[in-house]
Structure formats: structure tokens, C-alpha cells
Amino acid sequence: MKRLALLLVCTFFASAPLRAASDGEVAARRTALEIAGAFTNDGFKLRDGNWADSFEPGKPKIVQVNLYAGNQYWFTLGATPPAKKVLITIYDEKGTPVKIDADHFFQDTSVVATGFSPDNSGTFFVKVEVVDGAAADFCLVYSYK
């Protein structure tokens, strides 16, 4: 049964058309990477890849990640200007919000970085949302050490 489900998922993604990133997603990624770059000065490594999409107030997006105990993580979210304030919330595999180490809201409030050090390795869920403003493009990246 698991093999069938995996085959169906692979078939879906193989047949799904690729789409180019929008100008807004590119701008959001540039913003997120500028902030995340500051963490590399503290020894954090930027994870390859990112998550870019659009979101609007009241309709958050959730990304599933696998994290490891003993590592520190910084999740950085950049959004385009229609979003005036954005938020990152991290949940464990049971859906319980985790205790974060720190939040950094920047002068440009469409950018936020959230630090987290998991006690246990496993699956976590990162919710990104617009809490003030309008629909916008976003990009989420994370760094670890």
C-alpha cells in the first residue's frame, strides 16, 4: 500500500508542470536571504532550497521539515510589501507550538526570523502567515548549526 501511494505521488509530481518563480517570489527570496546571511556570520549554514509561494491574511501556509536535536535553527521569512507584518510559528509533530529561542522582527516588518533548538529529532511544522496587510508573495529559508 505504501509503495502504491509513493508511486502515485511520484507520478503526480512527474506530470505536474514546472512553473517559473514570480517577480514577487524572487523579491521575497532576496529579502529572506539578505537577513539569513547575517546568521552565517555566527556559524550557521544556509540550507539548500527554499519555499516560495503567496499567502494572504487568514490563510497561512504550512511547511513540514525534519529537524535534529542538538542543532540550532533560524527560520527567516521575507514577504513583499503588501504584507505589513508576518509571523512564523513552529509546531511539533503533535501540533503543539514549540518554545522558540528568539524572534527578530526587523524595521521592515514584512520580514521575521525565528530561532529554535529542538529537544528531540523529528518532524516539525512551520506556519507562515500575514498578520497585518494584504496578500503577498513570500519566501522561507532556514539556517542551522
Side-chain angles (χ1 to χ4, degrees):
M1 188 63 160
K2 287 183 182 179
R3 293 177 77 173
L4 176 61
L6 180 60
L7 178 62
L8 290 173
V9 169
C10 290
T11 302
F12 171 77
F13 284 113
S15 64
L18 296 176
R19 70 173 182 88
S22 70
D23 290 344
E25 289 171 358
V26 171
R29 181 172 36 253
R30 184 178 320 114
T31 300
L33 290 172
E34 285 175 7
I35 300 301
F39 298 114
T40 62
N41 295 334
D42 290 333
F44 284 83
K45 296 177 185 169
L46 189 60
R47 182 190 179 277
D48 290 338
N50 61 74
W51 296 271
D53 200 352
S54 58
F55 57 178
E56 57 188 89
K59 295 186 179 179
K61 300 288 182 158
I62 298 176
V63 175
Q64 179 180 328
V65 294
N66 292 316
L67 304 179
Y68 301 96
N71 285 349
Q72 293 177 293
Y73 295 91
W74 276 101
F75 290 88
T76 306
L77 175 65
T80 52
K84 294 181 180 176
K85 184 174 183 183
V86 293
L87 183 64
I88 297 172
T89 308
I90 304 170
Y91 298 88
D92 65 16
E93 61 189 9
K94 296 176 185 174
T96 305
V98 300
K99 183 177 184 245
I100 59 167
D101 298 335
D103 269 332
H104 290 296
F105 293 93
F106 297 89
Q107 189 92 17
D108 172 3
T109 56
S110 63
V111 179
V112 64
T114 299
F116 170 62
S117 301
D119 293 329
N120 300 308
S121 298
T123 302
F124 292 84
F125 300 93
V126 181
K127 180 172 82 171
V128 296
E129 60 187 316
V130 177
V131 293
D132 186 19
D137 291 312
F138 75 87
C139 181
L140 176 71
V141 298
Y142 76 85
S143 307
Y144 63 95
K145 76 171 179 178

